[in-house]
Amino acid sequence: MVSTRSSSRADSPPRSPSPPPPPPSRSTLSSSSRDTTATATTSRTRGTFRHAPTPWTLLWLGVSLPLVIWDTGYVLGRPHTMEGGLAHWPLWSPYKLYGEVDHVYGWKAVREGTGFTAAQGLLNVVETAMYAVYLWLWRARGETTTMTPGGGGRRVVSGRAGALAVVVGFSAAVMTLSKTILYLCNEYFSGFANIGHNDFLTVLFLWIIPNGAWLVGPTYMIVSMGTEIVDNLGGTAHAKNE
C-alpha cells in the first residue's frame, strides 16, 4: 500500500503555478483616479459654505441704505442742514417738517444739547459700513451660478468670504434692530416728550409707520441669516439643499 501511494505520487504531473493577475490597464487606473477625484471634489463642495442674499434682503438694503445715508448726513451736519442753514435746501428740506413732528430732529434738541440724535447718527455710519462690506463681499468675491438648466443664475459667495459676509450682514441687522428699538424706547420712557404734541394721525403716518419699517426689515434679515448660520453649524444645510 505504501509503495503504490508513492508510485502514484511520483507519476502524477507537477502542478503549474497559477498565473499572476494581469496588471490594471490605463483605462482602469484613469477611471479609478477620476472616481476618487470626483468623490473628493464632491466632498469639498458639500463642505463649502455658500451664501446668496435673498431678493427681499437686496430690496430692503436697496431702499434703506440711501435713506439712512441721507438721514445720517442731516443729523451729523446740524445745524447747517437744518432750516436756515447753508446746506438745508434742497437736499434736507423735508426735515423741516419732520423736525417739527419729532423734536429729536428739530431745533429743540440742538438748543438743549441733546446728544442722543448725534450718537445714533454715528452708529448709522458704522452700521452702513458693515452693510457695504456685506454687499462688497457678495459682489466682488461671489460667482454667478446657474440654478436650473434653462433658467438664470444667482450670485453666490462661497467659502470663508461667504461665511464672513453672513456674519457681517447678520451683525449689522442686529445693530439696526437694536438701535431702532432703543430710539422708540427712549421716546416711550421720556413720556413722549418729543412727539407728544402731535395728533394721532400725524404720529401714525409720520412717525410710527416710517420707523416701523426699520423693525420689519432688519428682523427679516436676522431670521433669514440666523437660520442659515444655525443650519450650517448644525450640519443640516446641505440636506435641505439636496
Side-chain angles (χ1 to χ4, degrees):
M1 295 294 291
V2 176
S3 61
T4 304
R5 288 178 182 174
S6 300
S7 174
S8 62
R9 288 178 184 174
D11 294 341
S12 61
R15 295 181 180 179
S16 60
S18 58
S25 62
R26 288 186 177 180
S27 60
T28 304
L29 289 174
S30 300
S31 176
S32 176
S33 177
R34 284 195 300 268
D35 293 342
T36 303
T37 304
T39 302
T41 303
T42 302
S43 178
R44 286 194 300 268
T45 301
R46 290 184 177 181
T48 301
F49 188 93
R50 295 163 61 84
H51 169 73
T54 66
W56 285 110
T57 295
L58 294 177
L59 176 62
W60 166 247
L61 292 179
V63 172
S64 65
L65 286 183
L67 292 176
V68 170
I69 293 172
W70 181 50
D71 183 82
T72 303
Y74 170 79
V75 169
L76 297 183
R78 295 176 309 164
H80 306 292
T81 54
M82 303 180 71
E83 183 183 11
L86 296 175
H88 177 69
W89 192 90
L91 185 58
W92 286 289
S93 55
Y95 275 92
K96 176 183 182 299
L97 173 61
Y98 193 76
E100 294 172 356
V101 173
D102 187 351
H103 289 164
V104 167
Y105 279 78
W107 281 106
K108 177 177 179 291
V110 174
R111 294 191 184 102
E112 294 178 357
T114 303
F116 178 81
T117 318
Q120 175 187 286
L122 188 61
L123 291 180
N124 283 346
V125 175
V126 178
E127 169 192 308
T128 303
M130 293 174 70
Y131 283 127
V133 170
Y134 167 75
L135 292 173
W136 178 83
L137 286 169
W138 171 62
R139 291 297 304 174
R141 304 292 294 276
E143 297 178 349
T144 301
T145 60
T146 302
M147 301 305 298
T148 58
R154 64 173 181 171
R155 196 161 190 84
V156 175
V157 57
S158 305
R160 186 177 180 84
L164 179 60
V166 172
V167 170
V168 172
F170 177 84
S171 301
V174 171
M175 185 175 180
T176 302
L177 181 62
S178 302
K179 183 168 57 64
T180 305
I181 293 175
L182 178 64
Y183 173 62
L184 301 179
C185 288
N186 177 69
E187 190 60 28
Y188 174 78
F189 286 107
S190 67
F192 302 101
N194 296 294
I195 65 170
H197 59 283
N198 299 286
D199 59 77
F200 174 74
L201 290 180
T202 300
V203 173
L204 176 64
F205 288 104
L206 295 181
W207 197 81
I208 295 178
I209 293 178
N211 288 298
W214 267 262
L215 296 175
V216 177
T219 299
Y220 169 79
M221 289 185 63
I222 290 171
V223 172
S224 175
M225 294 183 177
T227 301
E228 188 175 357
I229 292 172
V230 171
D231 286 345
N232 277 274
L233 289 176
T236 60
H238 301 298
K240 288 185 176 182
N241 294 330
E242 291 177 353

